[in-house]
Amino acid sequence: MSIDERIREGLRMTNTQLPPPETTRAVDWISSGGSAPPRRGRSLAVAAAAVLVAGAALAVGQVLASRPDAPPVQQPAPLFVGSWWSTDSDGSSQTMTVREVSAGVFEMELRDDFSSPCSGPSTDTGPGLMRGGMLFVYRIETVCQDGKTPANPGTALNFKVVGPDTIRDDNGVIWSREGSSPPSPAPSRQPGASAFVGSWTSEDADGSSQTMTIREVSAGGFEMVLRDDFTGPCSGPSTDSGTGALRRGVLLVRDIETVCADGDVARGAPSLSFAHLPGTDTLRDNIAVTWSRAE
Amino acid sequence: MSEPVEISMTDVLPMFSRHAQRREDQFHELFAAAYPQVVRTVWFVVHDRGMAEEIAQDAFTELYRDWSRLHSFDRPDLWVRRVAIRRAQREARRQVRRVVLERATGTLRPVDDGFSLPDPDLIAAIRTLPPKQRAILVLFYLEDRPMSEVAELVGCSASTGFVQLHQARRRLAALLGEEVDSDVH
């Protein structure tokens, strides 16, 4: 037998012997629409893990499983439960209510007096779980006050305790508990064009590196060119370009065209929005990628 | 001339919600179809079942977070596999450091994933390979992917991929007493 046959045969036989991955309570629960508390898993491993993870190891919706050697459960949440308020990076006011609907399972309702997808007031709702000491809210549904429903499954937010009566989401927005004093530092004024114009770098969620240049091409008009060294549609490098405008401190880039390095035109994100994170020289886009100003 | 068609919000809203539901369904389908094999592939790199599941879940978590953007990709399954493979390589490198430390402190414990291996010598030999070579080996031999795709997934050029594969084959052949009869292409 040659080494190639041995490797191929050995890998295939092992592959068939490997037990299937466990399905999890989280998978079942979220598949059911998040409306019922997590059910017990079917195997001993899952049952053991269920005891350990109730709340702590559950991550983004569908895809969390548990390990028998997972760390002890963190007691969730009086820290997050209650009413909160903040000023968004676009200057709008937001309020949020978090309540615990059953042990370790939360529900969030967030009202924003201006959100970019709605171009007006909106309400976000979604189930939440504790993960790594943070409240993870996922499958957020946004409903605009005018009745429009932006199609945005998959959006999620993490909240982390940063001080007494203060939490921060992963857009960098500081939330204060209702009735407490304003967060410090106080929300900054809306950023201008200079906060966005320039060259930026980031690392995409897939580990590829990206560079972006934003130019002001006319009064209030912007042009974005974003180069990524790997994108799925192109299976390689690509360049996105689009035009944008500032709206209440958020740069909205629309009509984005993605051109692959080999010249093909691929479908990319139709639009992107960028918020300037107060007190930093970084941007955050609406798919949670953080951009740092290039040296 | 045809009559103008009036479209009310009540007509449009169900379309939005159907669109959202379809995308959600697409994620569930992709997860159901790809998750088990992603876990298995990662297992061949990290040789730890719990760790493999965790890495695969984290990769799908990333996919889910960006699903509104990534669902339009031609091959979102390749995207998630790429994320998982690269995380597996990072984790395997950490494991190597941990094993060295455990050996030094005399606390090294064998990994027991609770199932019998059909060719334990082969798996033991694969464990001696650098993580990138393990990943290349499993993507090339088990998943039958062309080297251009294997290279994309592990993060190197195709020529580097072939060099790494060649080194892995030679090492395994030496350890297992097999012959390397020809080069792979």
Side-chain angles (χ1 to χ4, degrees):
Chain A
M1 183 185 281
S2 74
I3 188 62
D4 301 295
E5 289 167 348
R6 174 92 181 258
I7 296 169
R8 187 166 276 121
E9 189 64 18
L11 291 178
R12 287 197 172 144
M13 284 167 58
T14 307
N15 191 50
T16 59
Q17 294 288 314
L18 286 171
E22 297 287 357
T23 56
T24 68
R25 295 182 310 145
V27 172
D28 294 339
W29 177 45
I30 296 172
S31 298
S32 74
S35 56
R39 296 197 301 266
R40 275 196 177 281
R42 59 185 176 180
S43 71
L44 280 177
V46 171
V51 174
L52 291 169
V53 292
L58 293 176
V60 177
Q62 286 82 334
V63 290
L64 251 214
S66 40
R67 299 184 59 192
D69 56 350
V73 177
Q74 296 170 7
Q75 285 309 312
L79 286 172
F80 294 97
V81 169
S83 298
W84 303 86
W85 65 273
S86 75
T87 302
D88 200 358
S89 51
D90 62 6
S92 61
S93 297
Q94 303 179 119
T95 58
M96 175 175 68
T97 305
V98 177
R99 57 194 194 91
E100 191 168 10
V101 291
S102 64
V105 182
F106 301 86
E107 190 174 83
M108 178 209 74
E109 182 179 274
L110 189 161
R111 294 175 191 273
D112 190 346
D113 72 359
F114 179 89
S115 72
S116 305
C118 296
S119 299
S122 66
T123 303
D124 294 346
T125 54
L129 300 161
M130 289 297 292
R131 186 193 188 196
M134 292 193 287
L135 175 65
F136 181 75
V137 182
Y138 57 94
R139 203 174 180 173
I140 295 174
E141 290 189 3
T142 300
V143 177
C144 306
Q145 196 179 61
D146 62 6
K148 194 173 79 174
T149 308
N152 61 345
T155 54
L157 274 176
N158 272 302
F159 293 92
K160 183 180 182 183
V161 174
V162 293
D165 294 324
T166 311
I167 57 177
R168 185 177 63 209
D169 67 30
D170 45 10
N171 291 321
V173 175
I174 302 287
W175 293 82
S176 297
R177 194 178 286 282
E178 286 286 354
S180 65
S181 55
S184 180
S188 60
R189 60 186 176 81
Q190 288 183 13
S194 61
F196 299 93
V197 169
S199 298
W200 303 87
T201 61
S202 80
E203 187 173 285
D204 203 355
D206 64 1
S208 61
S209 59
Q210 303 178 114
T211 58
M212 174 176 67
T213 305
I214 295 173
R215 296 192 304 130
E216 190 168 17
V217 290
S218 62
F222 296 82
E223 184 181 81
M224 180 209 75
V225 178
L226 190 162
R227 293 191 172 83
D228 192 339
D229 70 0
F230 179 89
T231 55
C234 296
S235 293
S238 68
T239 303
D240 292 347
S241 53
T243 55
L246 270 178
R247 186 178 177 93
R248 299 194 64 165
V250 173
L251 178 62
L252 301 176
V253 180
R254 297 179 187 281
D255 304 323
I256 295 175
E257 184 180 67
T258 300
V259 179
C260 306
D262 61 9
D264 281 353
V265 177
R267 287 177 301 163
S271 65
L272 280 172
S273 63
F274 298 90
H276 181 260
L277 299 185
T280 68
D281 206 6
T282 54
L283 304 179
R284 186 87 163 193
D285 66 27
N286 57 324
I287 51 176
V289 174
T290 302
W291 295 84
S292 305
R293 197 176 282 281
E295 295 287 319
Chain B
M1 181 184 280
S2 59
E3 289 289 315
V5 179
E6 284 188 14
I7 299 176
S8 71
M9 193 52 77
T10 50
D11 295 325
V12 174
L13 275 178
M15 290 167 60
F16 273 113
S17 106
R18 277 200 301 277
H19 181 61
Q21 186 57 47
R22 196 171 70 243
R23 278 203 281 182
E24 193 82 351
D25 291 345
Q26 285 170 345
F27 181 86
H28 281 272
E29 285 164 16
L30 175 63
F31 180 75
Y35 175 69
Q37 189 52 52
V38 171
V39 173
R40 291 188 172 107
T41 298
V42 169
W43 183 88
F44 281 104
V45 181
V46 298
H47 298 111
D48 180 312
R49 193 175 154 201
M51 183 63 67
E53 288 181 2
E54 236 173 56
I55 288 170
Q57 286 161 15
D58 281 349
F60 275 95
T61 298
E62 293 290 347
L63 181 69
Y64 187 70
R65 278 177 71 101
D66 275 357
W67 187 238
S68 57
R69 177 176 67 111
L70 298 175
H71 86 283
S72 61
F73 284 15
D74 291 340
R75 296 288 305 273
D77 61 313
L78 277 188
W79 186 95
V80 74
R81 205 170 283 266
R82 180 178 193 248
V83 172
I85 290 287
R86 294 194 178 188
R87 286 187 178 190
Q89 289 181 74
R90 278 201 293 272
E91 182 54 38
R93 282 194 289 272
R94 272 199 288 272
Q95 282 179 345
V96 169
R97 288 196 291 272
R98 190 167 64 235
V99 166
V100 170
L101 185 66
E102 287 174 350
R103 277 197 182 123
T105 57
T107 55
L108 182 63
R109 287 175 299 175
V111 175
D112 179 11
D113 263 351
F115 60 93
S116 59
L117 296 168
D119 190 346
D121 292 344
L122 174 68
I123 299 302
I126 289 174
R127 280 179 180 162
T128 68
L129 298 175
K132 182 171 279 187
Q133 290 184 9
R134 297 182 208 171
I136 289 171
L137 208 68
V138 70
L139 292 167
F140 187 83
Y141 284 106
L142 180 63
E143 298 197 358
D144 282 329
R145 293 181 186 275
M147 185 52 79
S148 57
E149 203 168 287
V150 171
E152 279 287 359
L153 289 167
V154 301
C156 67
S157 67
S159 57
T160 302
F162 274 121
V163 170
Q164 296 277 324
L165 183 64
H166 178 68
Q167 290 173 352
R169 292 166 70 236
R170 286 181 67 88
R171 181 172 176 85
L172 293 182
L175 289 170
L176 298 168
E178 301 282 2
E179 288 182 5
V180 183
D181 48 7
S182 62
D183 243 347
V184 289
H185 296 287

